[in-house]
Amino acid sequence: MINTIQQTLQNSFSYIEYRNLATDLIAQGKSTGHEQSEDLLHYSELNEARMNRLEKTITIADEVKTKLENLDKNYIWLVLAESWCGDAAQILPVIYKMSEASEKITLKIALRDDNDTLMQEFLTNGGRAIPKLIVLDATTLEIIVDWGPRPHGAKQLILDYKATYGIVDENAKIALQKWYLLDKGREIQNEIIALFESVLA
């Protein structure tokens, strides 16, 4: 596992590098990932606009910021993502702002399709759902905890929709984006901090 993590980190990007990569690919009519389509390009373009907005509007709660500032050692937050993923677009800016609140956190983003060996270790119900946050001890690369692909409220919304309608369609995706809009990143912050506290207690 350590070798896989090391290889993924070598293939990873800073948040700014990831954003620049996605922007450059969109200019070429592409998304990240091994599959290319008009739909995936369209989602990448939507996500670019979402992330631009969220970077300006997301705030980290004072109590969360305090806990992040008081972390006991250095961590790497490694996130598996792709530019076409709507959940990643909503979640990555929050994780980025959280990492910026602490000198003890280094954020790295790796593309799911280019790092399948690691992705296979963090499947959700057998699927390669993203984003996936893997928290590592920066010194030993030991996995401390992982989180994702969605906060509980967003996950429940999709489960309820699927139970009612039998599918996840465009209306479900719209409802999900509205959920994220109303939540303003609060549940993501609270869940990640709660995970930290449960492991470090």
Side-chain angles (χ1 to χ4, degrees), residues 109-121:
I109 300 169
L111 301 179
R112 181 194 74 173
D113 290 0
D114 289 346
N115 297 280
D116 191 58
T117 304
L118 184 61
M119 184 72 252
Q120 291 298 326
E121 300 292 333

Side-chain angles (χ1 to χ4, degrees), residues 70-105:
N70 291 320
L71 288 174
D72 60 331
K73 54 186 174 183
N74 294 326
Y75 296 92
I76 297 170
W77 286 16
L78 174 60
V79 185
L80 294 167
E82 295 285 356
S83 67
W84 47 259
C85 176
D87 290 289
Q90 295 285 359
I91 291 167
L92 277 174
V94 182
I95 289 176
Y96 170 62
K97 290 285 184 83
M98 290 178 76
S99 71
E100 288 287 283
S102 174
E103 292 181 351
K104 294 187 178 294
I105 298 171

Side-chain angles (χ1 to χ4, degrees), residues 10-191:
Q10 285 171 3
N11 292 336
S12 68
F13 305 90
S14 70
Y15 181 80
I16 301 302
E17 287 169 343
Y18 170 81
R19 294 282 279 118
N20 288 339
L21 172 67
T23 302
D24 291 345
L25 286 171
I26 287 170
Q28 299 169 40
K30 298 177 183 177
S31 66
T32 65
H34 294 175
E35 184 185 340
Q36 298 293 322
S37 71
E38 285 298 319
D39 282 347
L40 292 178
L41 173 58
H42 173 65
Y43 290 135
S44 291
E45 289 170 338
L46 281 178
N47 291 338
E48 178 99 340
R50 279 190 190 115
M51 293 179 80
N52 287 340
R53 174 177 54 79
L54 289 167
E55 284 166 13
K56 293 173 186 158
T57 58
I58 287 291
T59 57
I60 303 304
D62 288 342
E63 62 271 21
V64 171
K65 201 177 287 184
T66 299
K67 288 172 181 176
L68 290 169
E69 288 168 350
N70 291 320
L71 288 174
D72 60 331
K73 54 186 174 183
N74 294 326
Y75 296 92
I76 297 170
W77 286 16
L78 174 60
V79 185
L80 294 167
E82 295 285 356
S83 67
W84 47 259
C85 176
D87 290 289
Q90 295 285 359
I91 291 167
L92 277 174
V94 182
I95 289 176
Y96 170 62
K97 290 285 184 83
M98 290 178 76
S99 71
E100 288 287 283
S102 174
E103 292 181 351
K104 294 187 178 294
I105 298 171
T106 300
L107 176 60
K108 291 291 184 179
I109 300 169
L111 301 179
R112 181 194 74 173
D113 290 0
D114 289 346
N115 297 280
D116 191 58
T117 304
L118 184 61
M119 184 72 252
Q120 291 298 326
E121 300 292 333
F122 293 94
L123 301 179
T124 303
N125 300 321
R128 302 190 306 149
I130 49 175
K132 195 72 179 176
L133 167 64
I134 304 160
V135 177
L136 306 167
D137 181 305
T139 304
T140 65
L141 299 186
E142 174 194 357
I143 297 167
I144 305 300
V145 75
D146 65 90
W147 178 89
R150 290 184 178 124
H152 178 74
K155 190 190 309 178
Q156 196 60 50
L157 182 150
I158 292 298
L159 287 173
D160 291 347
Y161 192 96
K162 202 169 180 181
T164 303
Y165 300 102
I167 57 168
V168 176
D169 57 12
E170 204 58 37
N171 287 332
K173 291 175 183 176
I174 291 167
L176 181 61
Q177 297 307 328
K178 284 181 180 174
W179 184 92
Y180 279 117
L181 189 66
L182 290 171
D183 184 68
K184 302 183 189 306
R186 288 185 293 259
E187 196 166 317
I188 298 162
Q189 297 175 48
N190 291 336
E191 286 186 14

